Amino acid sequence: MTQEYPTSLGTSDADTITLLGQNLADDLMGKVGFGELTFWMVTQRRPTQSEVRVFESVLVALADHGFTPTAIAARITYLSAPDSVQGALAAGLLGGGSRFLGVTEDCGQFLDDVLREAGEIPTDDAGFDALALAAVTRAKAERKFIPGLGHPVHKVLDPRTPRLIEIAEEEGLHGPHLRLFEAIGRVHPQVLGRTLPLNGAGVCGAVLADLGLPMALLRGFALLARAAGLLGQLAEEQRTPIANDIYMSVDRNAVYVPPEPE
Amino acid sequence: MTQEYPTSLGTSDADTITLLGQNLADDLMGKVGFGELTFWMVTQRRPTQSEVRVFESVLVALADHGFTPTAIAARITYLSAPDSVQGALAAGLLGGGSRFLGVTEDCGQFLDDVLREAGEIPTDDAGFDALALAAVTRAKAERKFIPGLGHPVHKVLDPRTPRLIEIAEEEGLHGPHLRLFEAIGRVHPQVLGRTLPLNGAGVCGAVLADLGLPMALLRGFALLARAAGLLGQLAEEQRTPIANDIYMSVDRNAVYVPPEPE
Amino acid sequence: MTQEYPTSLGTSDADTITLLGQNLADDLMGKVGFGELTFWMVTQRRPTQSEVRVFESVLVALADHGFTPTAIAARITYLSAPDSVQGALAAGLLGGGSRFLGVTEDCGQFLDDVLREAGEIPTDDAGFDALALAAVTRAKAERKFIPGLGHPVHKVLDPRTPRLIEIAEEEGLHGPHLRLFEAIGRVHPQVLGRTLPLNGAGVCGAVLADLGLPMALLRGFALLARAAGLLGQLAEEQRTPIANDIYMSVDRNAVYVPPEPE
Amino acid sequence: MTQEYPTSLGTSDADTITLLGQNLADDLMGKVGFGELTFWMVTQRRPTQSEVRVFESVLVALADHGFTPTAIAARITYLSAPDSVQGALAAGLLGGGSRFLGVTEDCGQFLDDVLREAGEIPTDDAGFDALALAAVTRAKAERKFIPGLGHPVHKVLDPRTPRLIEIAEEEGLHGPHLRLFEAIGRVHPQVLGRTLPLNGAGVCGAVLADLGLPMALLRGFALLARAAGLLGQLAEEQRTPIANDIYMSVDRNAVYVPPEPE
């Protein structure tokens, strides 16, 4: 028996390229945006224009935040191996793990778990508040952090948060994950004894979950947004290089201490 | 003296996130598309809507082509390390080198070199034909391939080629790189003795060069498009896994031959 | 205040290169083996010759196992981007995650956790058996797998297991992690109701833990061993290429199925 | 016709693991060193003990040089994604490109090209000097650098150079690539008008070429050595973290400049 490999993404023959069952040249190029296509490739369903606007708002929100570890890794790898743009980009993306880019996925997943366990979606704010209160209380009892709560710089308000909520409302996509996250924002002070902001990466996770995107791939959208941001960083590095200065600054300030065997 | 690191991309303080000198929440989210922002981050200039449409057409054209080596590498890495989506994505992008994704950059660069050396941009098709004829003749004399000429599957016509030319024309962005590439399409048979199609990846390079994007980063746009395609591949792998079947097919058909020292 | 970056690894001035407090040229090159240096760099302590022999036995045991996912990813990335050996190697290593290369780390960590919780190290086999019995019983109650138990191919005996135990004994390095793992091998049938082999990757984890290597870096040694194996794979790919055949086999056996929106 | 994939590396059945035609457990583990196995896997030939000593001296020479870009990239990626040691290691290796780790390969290749073109290997120093003089003269005429000549820190003498030559002599492996490189060291001042040191990475390339290792994989050995060095860096990062200080130092010293559209 010959092995077969099913796919519904791209294929081609001598005259035609097919993607998602569409004719790539005639039906997609010039007619479908890049964010729209990404959503479609992942879900196999063409998103509405409202969904596209919310989805692209998330990608815009996550694209770049200056000299993050991912930006530094990409620039310094480009310094070291300028012949391989793919290597610099990959090195930057490899920092997209649990600590800096993982919040989007962790928050979406946390909210989804709470909703799934509840079984029934609340129908009003009071219902979401009750669900949120139970979830925050349990997290505290288990000494766990709520993903998406708090931010090292935006200690009072992350400006992306109200804006993304506003856009979701405008597009009629203010769904249960986001409503639950907002409820967490309302109720957590009474459990934790202090008020933390809902951070933007977390709201992005809530919104992506409401869009029906696969939970196990939420981090992937943060990575795609960051890939675009890293192109911006690499273009700036080509115009105004700083990676060698970073390297020199580390090297020059190295202090040699004798090894202490463990 | 303290080292300083200049940037014009992202920065933030307690209340505000700034990107490209814009207020991220108020001015960009919900107002600027993802492709538009990418173009802006790379060039520091907001593109026109015509430029966005052409740019996104390129990204759509390059996003996915089925079971390419990059798709196989991403899926098989995801099989092996499902805990690290960033690793699977990075592994896929690392195949974006000279052989499979490099044509876009190589073609744009080749056309740009020819135009730069010519000094003056031709004003009509006859002028482009003369320039193209000289370039193809010289490449043949130097036994070099013209990047973007020919395709292993689309032996007569790559369907992306006429479509992308059409879109560039519709948007008034039918520039000198693309016109030179079209001229190469017209004149090469009289030098090479056979007729090859202009491939889509090459046309993408010509179009990106006409958009004024940095020559040294053209490969980066192919990589960004592919990053989106790889999310599609990973989502499909989550729904309908094939990586283990690929692995088994290779492993099962391994034939052990005794080592022959070199 | 200027930032300072302490290190005890490498440094250099105009005339001298220092590594681990040693003169690289005079004290290390030609006098210290590669495995020995690796151990030393990680622990900051020069290992004994016995430790080096056990450590290198682990690296030899883990170097290559044929057409694993990591080997396929490295070869297919090399096919696609032959200009970047570092990219092919990196792509291969990125498969070194939880599923295929993680057993070494997981097993070492599991054994270490059991020993730490026990507080006191048993002094005879009966003591290790009691500890093992409690650990296996608890794992079963928590529906968790014991890392290192069982192997998809070596269903009765992994040949690396008795050999590595023998080498550790010969060198007087038969420590508590390995003894606990052997005890698990003896007692698990009475809990699980069937007899599974101790796999080689797990034994490697036990042995590395007994060598005092840092628990949080055990996976790193499996990756280093695999890096050497991947050089072997890439050298073979240069001599006898198969990556294009793998690619063609997948591409040719693709079956296009219409997308089904989620 | 079923596709077959030949290999002479690893394979296994229920009872046995074979590597390079040897029984892994009985013939390799505990009997063959890690460097020795690496050489064997790449060349399919078991090296002599002299070859192993020279080969491991190269790996030791290249393992670590402090806070290089590769070390910074690995540490900062580990900071950002501590859940993925493989990602941090891969990010570090991706800096192993043309600029920082490429000298070894470039120098070995350059020497090999000169020897191949010469056809006949010189038999005495005078012959090597004549060949070197022609090669340096031609490189100067073509405005090309000689790979391996000069070093940013070791402006007079790279201490690894005489030591590696000494080890090669001790082991009777002082071959034509190394002799040609030494001749370049003697004759280049009369062509270039100044005296540059032969750097250690270049000598490593000459020595690896003399060992008969495949030219297209020389960079791979520098990468393997660096992989071991990166484990040392990551272990140190776990004990004495500096990556967050590097990140903070870059972030804190960022200076925002308004974008200037290209």
Side-chain angles (χ1 to χ4, degrees):
Chain A
M1 195 200 74
T2 304
Q3 185 62 57
E4 295 191 340
Y5 304 110
T7 185
S8 305
L9 290 161
T11 189
S12 61
D13 59 26
D15 302 318
T16 318
I17 301 175
T18 301
L19 180 57
L20 295 158
Q22 313 292 309
N23 183 306
L24 173 69
D26 295 347
D27 302 334
L28 299 177
M29 288 171 64
K31 295 181 178 165
V32 169
F34 180 54
E36 188 175 359
L37 181 73
T38 302
F39 191 115
W40 195 344
M41 288 191 293
V42 168
T43 62
Q44 306 230 23
R45 159 175 93 69
R46 184 170 187 173
T48 66
Q49 285 310 299
S50 286
E51 288 171 324
V52 170
R53 182 162 174 253
V54 171
F55 181 58
E56 297 212 17
S57 296
V58 168
L59 296 179
V60 166
L62 297 176
D64 186 77
H65 287 89
F67 294 137
T68 52
T70 60
I72 296 170
R75 284 182 181 243
I76 213 144
T77 301
Y78 184 72
L79 167 74
S80 190
D83 45 319
S84 168
V85 167
Q86 72 270 27
L89 189 59
L93 294 178
L94 289 171
S98 57
R99 192 156 163 198
F100 277 81
L101 279 192
V103 175
T104 296
E105 180 165 300
D106 294 345
C107 183
Q109 186 68 63
F110 175 83
L111 299 169
D112 202 59
D113 289 345
V114 172
L115 289 170
R116 266 174 211 281
E117 272 185 52
E120 205 168 325
I121 304 291
T123 55
D124 58 11
D125 280 359
F128 278 106
D129 282 2
L131 198 54
L133 191 61
V136 176
T137 303
R138 187 170 57 183
K140 194 193 171 192
E142 294 173 353
R143 294 167 181 278
K144 287 185 185 159
F145 289 104
I146 309 280
L149 206 52
H151 193 281
V153 174
H154 309 300
K155 292 185 189 299
V156 177
L157 180 75
D158 185 327
R160 296 170 295 178
T161 296
R163 180 62 181 135
L164 197 49
I165 293 170
E166 181 183 42
I167 294 168
E169 279 171 348
E170 286 171 9
E171 301 299 338
L173 290 163
H174 190 221
H177 296 85
L178 184 52
R179 291 189 69 185
L180 176 59
F181 197 43
E182 291 178 275
I184 287 173
R186 288 189 297 269
V187 307
H188 77 270
Q190 65 191 91
V191 181
L192 305 184
R194 58 190 179 132
T195 303
L196 295 166
L198 301 180
N199 71 46
V203 180
C204 288
V207 165
L208 293 174
D210 277 339
L211 287 170
L213 294 164
M215 218 47 57
L217 211 62
L218 291 195
R219 187 186 296 187
F221 303 106
L223 291 165
L224 179 65
R226 187 52 50 96
L230 291 173
L231 291 185
Q233 293 283 340
L234 292 173
E236 191 171 88
E237 180 69 23
Q238 291 176 342
R239 286 191 309 266
T240 318
I242 62 159
N244 198 58
D245 288 340
I246 295 174
Y247 163 38
M248 284 297 121
S249 154
V250 177
D251 189 61
R252 204 172 44 230
N253 294 308
V255 176
Y256 205 72
V257 293
E260 286 181 40
E262 292 188 329
Chain B
M1 195 201 74
T2 304
Q3 185 62 56
E4 294 190 341
Y5 304 110
T7 184
S8 305
L9 290 162
T11 189
S12 61
D13 59 27
D15 303 317
T16 318
I17 301 175
T18 301
L19 180 56
L20 296 160
Q22 312 292 310
N23 183 306
L24 173 68
D26 295 347
D27 302 334
L28 300 178
M29 287 171 64
K31 296 182 177 166
V32 170
F34 180 53
E36 187 176 359
L37 181 73
T38 301
F39 191 115
W40 195 345
M41 288 191 293
V42 168
T43 63
Q44 306 229 20
R45 161 175 92 71
R46 184 170 187 174
T48 65
Q49 285 310 300
S50 287
E51 288 172 323
V52 171
R53 183 164 173 251
V54 172
F55 180 58
E56 297 212 18
S57 297
V58 169
L59 296 179
V60 167
L62 297 176
D64 187 76
H65 288 88
F67 294 138
T68 52
T70 61
I72 296 170
R75 283 182 182 244
I76 212 145
T77 301
Y78 185 71
L79 167 73
S80 191
D83 45 320
S84 168
V85 167
Q86 71 269 26
L89 189 60
L93 293 178
L94 288 171
S98 56
R99 191 154 162 200
F100 276 80
L101 277 191
V103 174
T104 297
E105 180 165 299
D106 294 345
C107 183
Q109 186 69 62
F110 175 83
L111 299 170
D112 201 59
D113 289 345
V114 172
L115 289 171
R116 266 174 210 282
E117 272 184 51
E120 207 168 324
I121 305 291
T123 53
D124 58 11
D125 279 0
F128 278 105
D129 282 3
L131 199 54
L133 191 62
V136 177
T137 303
R138 188 170 55 183
K140 193 192 172 192
E142 294 174 352
R143 295 165 179 279
K144 288 184 184 160
F145 288 103
I146 308 280
L149 207 51
H151 193 281
V153 174
H154 310 300
K155 293 186 188 299
V156 177
L157 180 75
D158 185 327
R160 297 170 295 177
T161 296
R163 180 63 181 135
L164 197 49
I165 293 170
E166 181 184 43
I167 295 168
E169 279 171 348
E170 285 171 9
E171 301 299 337
L173 290 163
H174 189 221
H177 296 86
L178 183 53
R179 293 189 67 186
L180 176 59
F181 196 43
E182 291 178 274
I184 288 172
R186 290 190 295 269
V187 308
H188 78 269
Q190 66 190 92
V191 182
L192 305 183
R194 59 191 181 131
T195 302
L196 296 166
L198 301 180
N199 70 46
V203 180
C204 287
V207 165
L208 293 173
D210 277 339
L211 287 170
L213 293 165
M215 220 44 59
L217 211 62
L218 291 196
R219 186 186 297 187
F221 303 105
L223 290 165
L224 179 66
R226 187 51 51 96
L230 291 174
L231 291 186
Q233 293 282 340
L234 291 173
E236 191 171 87
E237 180 69 21
Q238 291 176 343
R239 285 191 309 265
T240 318
I242 62 159
N244 198 57
D245 287 339
I246 295 174
Y247 163 39
M248 284 298 120
S249 154
V250 176
D251 189 59
R252 204 173 44 232
N253 293 308
V255 176
Y256 206 73
V257 292
E260 287 182 39
E262 293 191 325
Chain C
M1 196 201 73
T2 304
Q3 184 63 58
E4 294 191 342
Y5 303 110
T7 186
S8 305
L9 289 162
T11 190
S12 62
D13 59 27
D15 302 317
T16 317
I17 301 174
T18 301
L19 180 57
L20 296 159
Q22 312 293 311
N23 183 307
L24 174 68
D26 295 346
D27 301 334
L28 300 178
M29 288 171 64
K31 295 182 178 165
V32 169
F34 180 53
E36 187 176 0
L37 181 73
T38 301
F39 191 115
W40 195 344
M41 288 191 294
V42 168
T43 62
Q44 306 229 23
R45 160 174 92 71
R46 185 170 186 173
T48 65
Q49 285 310 301
S50 286
E51 288 171 323
V52 170
R53 182 161 174 252
V54 172
F55 180 59
E56 297 211 17
S57 296
V58 168
L59 296 179
V60 166
L62 298 175
D64 187 77
H65 289 89
F67 294 138
T68 52
T70 60
I72 295 170
R75 284 182 182 243
I76 212 144
T77 301
Y78 185 71
L79 167 74
S80 190
D83 45 320
S84 169
V85 167
Q86 71 270 26
L89 189 59
L93 293 178
L94 288 170
S98 57
R99 194 158 161 197
F100 277 81
L101 278 192
V103 175
T104 297
E105 180 164 301
D106 294 346
C107 183
Q109 186 69 62
F110 175 83
L111 299 170
D112 202 58
D113 289 346
V114 172
L115 289 171
R116 266 175 210 281
E117 272 184 52
E120 207 168 324
I121 305 291
T123 53
D124 57 12
D125 279 0
F128 278 106
D129 281 3
L131 198 55
L133 190 61
V136 176
T137 303
R138 187 169 58 182
K140 193 193 174 194
E142 295 173 352
R143 295 165 179 279
K144 286 183 186 161
F145 289 104
I146 308 279
L149 206 53
H151 192 281
V153 174
H154 310 299
K155 293 184 190 297
V156 176
L157 179 76
D158 185 327
R160 295 171 295 178
T161 296
R163 179 64 180 133
L164 197 50
I165 294 170
E166 181 184 42
I167 294 168
E169 280 171 349
E170 285 171 8
E171 302 299 337
L173 291 162
H174 190 221
H177 296 86
L178 184 52
R179 292 189 68 185
L180 176 59
F181 197 43
E182 292 178 274
I184 288 173
R186 287 190 297 268
V187 306
H188 77 270
Q190 66 189 92
V191 182
L192 305 182
R194 56 188 181 136
T195 303
L196 296 166
L198 301 181
N199 72 44
V203 179
C204 287
V207 164
L208 292 173
D210 277 338
L211 287 170
L213 293 165
M215 219 45 58
L217 211 60
L218 290 196
R219 187 186 297 185
F221 303 105
L223 290 165
L224 179 66
R226 187 51 52 96
L230 291 173
L231 291 185
Q233 293 282 340
L234 292 173
E236 191 171 86
E237 180 69 22
Q238 291 176 342
R239 286 191 308 265
T240 318
I242 62 159
N244 198 57
D245 288 339
I246 295 174
Y247 164 40
M248 284 298 121
S249 154
V250 176
D251 190 61
R252 204 172 45 230
N253 294 308
V255 176
Y256 205 72
V257 294
E260 286 182 39
E262 295 190 328
Chain D
M1 195 200 75
T2 304
Q3 185 62 58
E4 295 190 341
Y5 304 110
T7 185
S8 306
L9 290 161
T11 190
S12 61
D13 59 27
D15 303 317
T16 318
I17 302 175
T18 301
L19 180 57
L20 295 158
Q22 312 293 310
N23 183 307
L24 174 67
D26 295 346
D27 302 333
L28 299 177
M29 286 171 65
K31 296 184 178 164
V32 169
F34 180 54
E36 188 176 358
L37 181 73
T38 301
F39 191 115
W40 195 346
M41 287 191 294
V42 168
T43 62
Q44 306 229 22
R45 159 176 92 71
R46 184 171 188 174
T48 64
Q49 285 310 302
S50 286
E51 288 171 324
V52 171
R53 182 161 175 252
V54 171
F55 181 59
E56 297 212 16
S57 297
V58 168
L59 296 179
V60 166
L62 298 175
D64 186 77
H65 288 90
F67 293 138
T68 51
T70 60
I72 296 170
R75 283 181 180 244
I76 212 143
T77 301
Y78 184 72
L79 168 73
S80 191
D83 45 319
S84 168
V85 167
Q86 71 271 27
L89 190 59
L93 293 179
L94 288 171
S98 56
R99 192 157 162 198
F100 276 80
L101 277 192
V103 175
T104 296
E105 179 164 301
D106 294 345
C107 183
Q109 186 69 63
F110 175 83
L111 299 170
D112 202 58
D113 289 346
V114 172
L115 289 171
R116 266 175 211 282
E117 272 185 50
E120 205 168 327
I121 305 291
T123 52
D124 57 12
D125 280 0
F128 278 106
D129 281 3
L131 198 54
L133 191 62
V136 176
T137 302
R138 187 169 58 182
K140 194 193 173 194
E142 293 172 353
R143 294 168 178 280
K144 287 184 184 159
F145 288 103
I146 309 280
L149 206 52
H151 193 281
V153 174
H154 309 299
K155 293 185 189 299
V156 177
L157 180 75
D158 184 327
R160 296 171 294 179
T161 297
R163 179 64 180 134
L164 197 50
I165 293 170
E166 182 184 41
I167 294 168
E169 279 172 349
E170 285 171 7
E171 301 299 337
L173 289 164
H174 189 221
H177 296 86
L178 183 53
R179 292 189 69 185
L180 176 59
F181 197 43
E182 291 178 274
I184 287 173
R186 288 190 296 267
V187 307
H188 78 269
Q190 66 191 90
V191 181
L192 305 182
R194 59 193 178 128
T195 303
L196 295 167
L198 301 181
N199 71 46
V203 179
C204 287
V207 164
L208 293 173
D210 278 338
L211 286 171
L213 294 164
M215 218 45 59
L217 211 62
L218 291 195
R219 188 186 297 188
F221 302 106
L223 291 165
L224 178 66
R226 188 50 53 96
L230 291 173
L231 291 185
Q233 293 282 338
L234 292 172
E236 191 171 87
E237 181 69 22
Q238 291 176 343
R239 285 191 309 265
T240 318
I242 62 159
N244 198 58
D245 288 339
I246 295 174
Y247 164 39
M248 284 298 121
S249 154
V250 176
D251 190 61
R252 204 172 45 231
N253 294 309
V255 176
Y256 205 73
V257 293
E260 286 182 39
E262 294 189 328

